[in-house]
Amino acid sequence: MSNISRIRESLHGEDLDNSQRLNAITIEQLENVNEDVINDMPWAQDLFKMLKANFKKGFLYWCKTVKDIAGTQENHVISWKNTYLHTIDEVLCDLIEDMLRFKGATVDNVESLLVRLNDVCKELHEPFNTNVGKDQLCLFDEQQNLQKQINKYELIINAKKQELELLQKKQADCVKELGEVEEIKLSYPPLPTAEQLEHFHQHVESLEGLKFEREERYCYLRHDLIEIIEELKYQPRNEFEQMIVAEDNFKVTTINMEKLELFSKHMMEIKKSTVEQISQFRARIEELWKMLEVDLKDQDEFRSRCSGNSLQTLEVLRHEVKRCEKIKKANIEQFVVKLRGQLQNIWQKCHCSQEEQNSFQYFEDDCYTEDLMDLHELEIEKWERYYEQNEKLLTLLGQHERQWQRSITLDESGSTCDRYKNRGGKLLLEEKERNKLAKSIPKLEQQILQLSEKYLRENGREFRTFGRTPEEYIRECHEDRENRKKLKLSARKMQRDQTAIGSSRTPLNLFPSTSRMHTPQQSSTVKRKILGTPHTENIKRLKASTPVNPSGRAGRTPKTIPKIKVTLATLPLGSQKRKSRASIESSKRRRSGRIAVAKRNCDANQTQNTTYSSFEKCAVALSPLYLPIEEERPVK
């Protein structure tokens, strides 16, 4: 309060102290004041003039009255003079005392404002700083400035009080909802500092954030719980579960949230277990129905009655499994036989070798018990899992096998003698299919090998298809195909040799039939074996000697060759050989010329016409086995 005392002294100045102000004052005690004090007070100057005029007028009128009463004798008016003077002094002193009292009250008011300002500064934790008494202002101005400053600080205090009360209310609500959480207590007055208020604000925000997170988590868990409860048709067992289902003023306290998390986890486990058991029971029921050959109508009725994944459905399915198991026990032998058939099918699907099949030693067991049936079921499940894990690779092997067999079939059909005698474009379709298979089979083999390597990396052992690795299977396929080709070529060669040997035994073979003339190798063999004129020269002689029909066209070749007398050439052996070689060379030149002409015609036909007839002509003309058939003429 040292600052306030200093300010109070500056406000009082040289005025009378309190002890003097309590007693009556006189004019003699007053300070002599110069008239300059009213130089800057126009109202005081006007009042001073009015007072001088009025006092002069009153004084003179009083003197006139006294004169009228007592005349000019002084001894009669001394007491009146003293009374007049004393009355004037009293009036002036009363007026001055009133102003002094008012001044004191104003000073006291300023002092109280200073005290209030000091308290406000303490509440706001602001330094007490004021200019009261420094600027030589009047008391009213000082009072007004102090009041303005106090009002300003009080507005700030009120705002902070409201903010503090709001934060305290929010904290109380959060603590009530969250339960055991940290609580900050700030007392008033004084107001907390700016740092304390900011920390309190952050604390309340963290509580609100935690409350929002818990409420959001509660809504999410409750939504999932309601779905699970409705799906399972679960009945709440205690008050807490009923509160969650009914959404009855749930408070997101730490304990309640822990209970909610446990309940949610428990219900999810129940749902998962229930769904798995229902799925297993349904699959088992389907298997049992299939074994028991239950009527399809009864099956559909049961499925429609036991839909969904509720706990009641689980109990009904469990009861149905028990019922079917009892029936199954009474017919174990029949079911074992059926399971063995299924096991053979899954073995075939999984490409099991005979050794793998023989490893299941219970396949031939004739002691039909429930354990034997379980062993068969376990074996079937084992290979079904194996098929699921390697379904892609097994499917590709099956596709490769089908396409490979089809390609072998096309190769065999492409080597028959009557392959050009077809209708409906069969030859063209086969050629397209052959090209398609030539592209797809290598891709399949590449995919199979890649999956086989992946299986080896993941399982540490090689994949087997009927006891062989995919690499061995593919290699054997190609080797078998090559062996087939070699066997066909050797068989054709043996047939040509036998035909050539048989044709050289009789002169009648100089005129081979049309069926033999389709093969150039046979004709060339005949040319090498016979030491006479080649058959082409004989054909030319036959054409020249053939009688002409009346219509101008040559006659048809008879079905039987007439008997003719064949005279062997009398040329030396060397001359015959040279002549035979010359005829062969000329025959080759003529055939190559015909093939070139056929190619040009085929190219022209392909650009203009794409019908099957033109394709067939070109294919026949360009075939390496092509040999033009000339009509035989009877020899005269």
Side-chain angles (χ1 to χ4, degrees):
M1 296 295 290
S2 59
N3 294 330
I4 297 177
S5 299
R6 179 180 54 81
I7 295 171
R8 182 184 294 116
E9 293 177 357
S10 65
L11 291 175
H12 287 296
E14 298 179 355
D15 292 335
L16 299 175
D17 56 10
N18 292 334
S19 60
Q20 293 175 335
R21 288 163 56 192
L22 293 175
N23 300 322
I25 61 172
T26 60
I27 296 299
E28 290 80 6
Q29 295 175 346
L30 297 178
E31 178 187 0
N32 295 321
V33 180
N34 196 322
E35 291 184 7
D36 295 336
V37 73
I38 62 174
N39 289 336
D40 54 349
M41 300 170 64
W43 63 271
Q45 294 175 5
D46 294 339
L47 181 60
F48 184 65
K49 292 178 182 179
M50 290 174 63
L51 288 174
K52 286 196 301 182
N54 291 337
F55 183 76
K56 181 180 178 181
K57 183 179 179 180
F59 178 72
L60 293 177
Y61 187 81
W62 181 76
C63 290
K64 177 182 178 296
T65 304
V66 169
K67 185 179 181 180
D68 290 339
I69 297 173
T72 58
Q73 297 179 7
E74 184 177 357
N75 53 352
H76 295 290
V77 297
I78 291 175
S79 60
W80 294 347
K81 179 183 71 172
N82 293 332
T83 302
Y84 181 82
L85 181 61
H86 181 71
T87 303
I88 294 299
D89 288 344
E90 284 182 354
V91 172
L92 290 176
C93 288
D94 289 340
L95 293 174
I96 292 172
E97 285 180 357
D98 289 340
M99 288 298 101
L100 288 176
R101 282 195 297 270
F102 189 74
K103 178 182 179 182
T106 305
V107 171
D108 293 339
N109 190 17
V110 171
E111 289 179 358
S112 64
L113 291 176
L114 287 172
V115 174
R116 177 58 182 160
L117 179 61
N118 185 51
D119 295 338
V120 168
C121 290
K122 286 183 179 181
E123 282 195 66
L124 295 176
H125 303 280
E126 295 286 342
F128 179 76
N129 187 11
T130 180
N131 295 323
V132 175
K134 292 181 181 180
D135 298 334
Q136 301 298 323
L137 299 177
C138 65
L139 292 177
F140 279 172
D141 291 340
E142 296 288 359
Q143 181 180 357
Q144 187 177 5
N145 290 338
L146 287 173
Q147 190 64 50
K148 288 181 180 179
Q149 192 172 4
I150 291 171
N151 292 338
K152 175 182 175 183
Y153 284 162
E154 284 181 346
L155 289 175
I156 298 175
I157 290 174
N158 292 332
K160 287 194 174 184
K161 284 175 61 178
Q162 292 178 1
E163 182 180 3
L164 181 60
E165 291 174 356
L166 180 61
L167 292 175
Q168 288 175 342
K169 184 176 182 301
K170 288 182 178 179
Q171 179 181 242
D173 294 339
C174 292
V175 169
K176 183 179 178 181
E177 289 291 329
L178 299 175
E180 299 177 0
V181 294
E182 182 183 0
E183 184 178 2
I184 296 178
K185 295 182 179 180
L186 294 178
S187 60
Y188 172 79
L191 286 173
T193 61
E195 292 77 9
Q196 291 175 338
L197 195 61
E198 179 65 23
H199 176 68
F200 188 41
H201 192 276
Q202 293 176 359
H203 174 70
V204 173
E205 284 185 349
S206 65
L207 292 179
E208 288 180 337
L210 179 60
K211 177 184 174 184
F212 176 77
E213 290 177 1
R214 289 187 180 182
E215 288 177 348
E216 186 178 17
R217 180 65 177 167
Y218 162 73
C219 294
Y220 174 77
L221 292 177
R222 184 181 180 279
H223 178 268
D224 292 345
L225 282 171
I226 293 300
E227 288 185 353
I228 295 173
I229 289 172
E230 291 178 354
E231 183 178 3
L232 298 178
K233 296 181 180 178
Y234 176 83
Q235 296 297 329
R237 300 177 180 178
N238 51 43
E239 184 179 356
F240 180 78
E241 294 178 0
Q242 292 175 357
M243 180 175 62
I244 293 175
V245 173
E247 197 177 8
D248 187 14
N249 193 19
F250 183 84
K251 294 181 179 180
V252 289
T253 61
T254 305
I255 298 176
N256 286 347
M257 291 303 296
E258 290 177 355
K259 290 182 179 179
L260 182 62
E261 292 285 350
L262 291 175
F263 181 55
S264 176
K265 184 178 180 181
H266 177 64
M267 291 304 299
M268 291 179 69
E269 291 176 354
I270 292 177
K271 178 185 176 182
K272 182 180 179 181
S273 175
T274 304
V275 171
E276 289 178 356
Q277 292 183 39
I278 287 176
S279 177
Q280 293 173 1
F281 282 153
R282 282 175 176 163
R284 183 60 180 162
I285 288 171
E286 293 291 337
E287 294 176 359
L288 293 172
W289 281 348
K290 188 175 181 181
M291 289 182 183
L292 300 175
E293 297 180 354
V294 178
D295 186 64
L296 295 177
K297 183 178 179 181
D298 296 336
Q299 295 182 21
D300 294 337
E301 290 180 356
F302 183 85
R303 292 191 191 98
S304 61
R305 189 172 66 254
C306 296
S307 60
N309 295 319
S310 64
L311 297 175
Q312 292 81 356
T313 301
L314 179 62
E315 291 300 323
V316 174
L317 293 174
R318 184 182 285 111
H319 178 73
E320 180 67 12
V321 169
K322 290 181 180 179
R323 186 185 70 83
C324 294
E325 290 286 352
K326 291 180 181 179
I327 300 174
K328 184 187 72 173
K329 290 180 181 179
N331 300 275
I332 291 178
E333 182 177 357
Q334 299 178 6
F335 296 141
V336 170
V337 173
K338 291 181 180 180
L339 290 174
R340 285 174 176 172
Q342 296 178 10
L343 187 56
Q344 288 179 338
N345 292 334
I346 194 66
W347 278 343
Q348 187 67 25
K349 287 174 63 178
C350 295
H351 296 197
C352 295
S353 63
Q354 190 62 40
E355 295 179 357
E356 292 174 326
Q357 297 180 21
N358 294 336
S359 64
F360 184 65
Q361 56 186 353
Y362 304 100
F363 191 79
E364 301 294 337
D365 196 347
D366 57 355
C367 183
Y368 300 102
T369 62
E370 188 174 355
D371 293 337
L372 180 65
M373 185 170 59
D374 293 338
L375 291 172
H376 280 75
E377 290 177 349
L378 291 174
E379 186 71 11
I380 290 173
E381 292 178 0
K382 165 189 167 184
W383 288 107
E384 284 179 348
R385 288 194 301 269
Y386 177 84
Y387 181 80
E388 291 177 359
Q389 295 172 359
N390 305 282
E391 183 178 4
K392 186 174 182 180
L393 181 53
L394 293 170
T395 303
L396 291 176
L397 286 170
Q399 293 179 2
H400 181 272
E401 182 180 4
R402 291 191 295 272
Q403 294 187 13
W404 187 265
Q405 292 298 329
R406 180 57 182 166
S407 66
I408 296 296
T409 304
L410 292 175
D411 290 344
E412 292 177 354
S413 65
S415 60
T416 57
C417 296
D418 59 346
R419 64 186 182 278
Y420 298 119
K421 296 180 180 180
N422 64 90
R423 293 292 184 270
K426 180 180 179 182
L427 188 63
L428 180 59
L429 296 176
E430 288 182 355
E431 185 64 23
K432 289 181 178 180
E433 186 177 3
R434 190 179 291 109
N435 294 334
K436 183 178 180 180
L437 291 174
K439 295 178 181 179
S440 62
I441 289 177
K443 294 180 180 179
L444 283 176
E445 293 176 351
Q446 183 179 3
Q447 294 178 2
I448 290 171
L449 295 177
Q450 290 176 354
L451 292 177
S452 176
E453 293 177 358
K454 181 180 178 182
Y455 181 87
L456 177 60
R457 290 193 305 269
E458 293 178 352
N459 299 276
R461 63 179 184 275
E462 292 183 338
F463 182 83
R464 295 283 176 176
T465 168
F466 298 108
R468 301 168 296 177
T469 63
E471 293 83 355
E472 294 173 350
Y473 162 72
I474 294 173
R475 184 172 63 253
E476 289 178 4
C477 287
H478 289 279
E479 289 177 355
D480 181 66
R481 189 173 192 173
E482 292 297 327
N483 292 335
R484 287 173 180 269
K485 290 182 179 179
K486 290 179 181 179
L487 289 175
K488 287 182 180 180
L489 290 175
S490 61
R492 288 178 182 175
K493 183 177 180 181
M494 290 177 63
Q495 184 179 5
R496 286 197 302 268
D497 293 343
Q498 291 175 2
T499 305
I501 293 171
S503 61
S504 63
R505 292 177 182 176
T506 173
L508 189 61
N509 290 333
L510 292 172
F511 302 96
S513 64
T514 57
S515 62
R516 293 179 181 178
M517 292 172 67
H518 281 286
T519 307
Q521 289 84 349
Q522 294 179 1
S523 61
S524 62
T525 304
V526 174
K527 292 176 185 178
R528 288 195 299 270
K529 295 294 182 179
I530 300 177
L531 300 178
T533 307
H535 70 282
T536 55
E537 298 295 334
N538 294 333
I539 291 173
K540 289 181 181 180
R541 288 197 300 272
L542 288 174
K543 285 183 178 181
S545 60
T546 301
V548 181
N549 292 336
S551 61
R553 294 179 296 179
R556 302 293 294 176
T557 303
K559 293 182 180 180
T560 59
I561 301 175
K563 296 182 178 179
I564 59 173
K565 184 178 181 180
V566 179
T567 304
L568 297 177
T570 58
L571 294 174
L573 184 60
S575 300
Q576 288 180 356
K577 289 182 179 180
R578 288 192 297 271
K579 187 174 180 181
S580 177
R581 284 195 295 271
S583 63
I584 289 172
E585 294 296 331
S586 63
S587 177
K588 286 182 178 181
R589 287 193 296 273
R590 288 193 299 273
R591 185 165 63 251
S592 62
R594 287 194 297 271
I595 290 174
V597 173
K599 285 183 178 180
R600 289 193 297 271
N601 295 334
C602 182
D603 294 338
N605 290 334
Q606 287 179 353
T607 57
Q608 297 177 0
N609 189 9
T610 57
T611 59
Y612 179 75
S613 60
S614 61
F615 166 76
E616 183 179 10
K617 290 178 182 179
C618 293
V620 173
L622 296 176
S623 174
L625 303 178
Y626 171 75
L627 183 66
I629 303 174
E630 297 181 357
E631 296 180 348
E632 296 182 357
R633 303 297 184 188
V635 180
K636 292 184 180 181

